[in-house]
Amino acid sequence: MNQEQVLRVIPDIEYDELVMILNITREMSAQQQEQFLMLYQRRRKSRQELLLLSLLGFVGVAGIHRLITGDIALGIVYLLTGGLCLIGTIVDIININSLTTRYNTKQGYETAALVTAVFNQPRNF
């Protein structure tokens, strides 16, 4: 897989995410890489999407971005406390790049494990 293929499927990808994808898919077959890209594209979140969800904290619905990224306990705390009185929401907006990178990296490795497991299953006919 090369950079052009990844950029064609995921046009808003960041450089660090591109490097991660190329490293994960380096030893996969072409069919596995194609399946990985299709699954990963659906599972990943863009920085703009998470930023928009975190900005909802200023209108009273804080923590949605944490629930989406899998931080369930912190998301519930944010919902109940108004984003920890908006301080947690502001900190998350400042650190949105690291939140997005952490979430997408986790999704990349989970997707790679899923694709390799599916392709390595013995076939019983």
Side-chain angles (χ1 to χ4, degrees), residues 44-55:
R44 72 179 290 273
K45 301 290 182 209
S46 68
R47 182 174 9 129
Q48 292 82 9
E49 183 180 354
L50 288 179
L51 181 61
L52 180 64
L53 291 171
S54 63
L55 288 173

Side-chain angles (χ1 to χ4, degrees), residues 10 19 24 42 48 61 72 83 91 93 95 99 101 114 121:
I10 309 170
V19 170
I24 287 174
R42 292 185 196 121
Q48 292 82 9
V61 189
I72 305 299
V91 169
I93 289 172
N95 295 324
L99 288 172
T101 301
L114 179 67
Q121 284 183 346

Side-chain angles (χ1 to χ4, degrees), residues 5 11 26 37 50 85 111 119 123:
Q5 291 172 317
R26 182 178 42 220
L37 275 179
L50 288 179
C85 298
T111 304
F119 278 87
R123 303 202 185 249

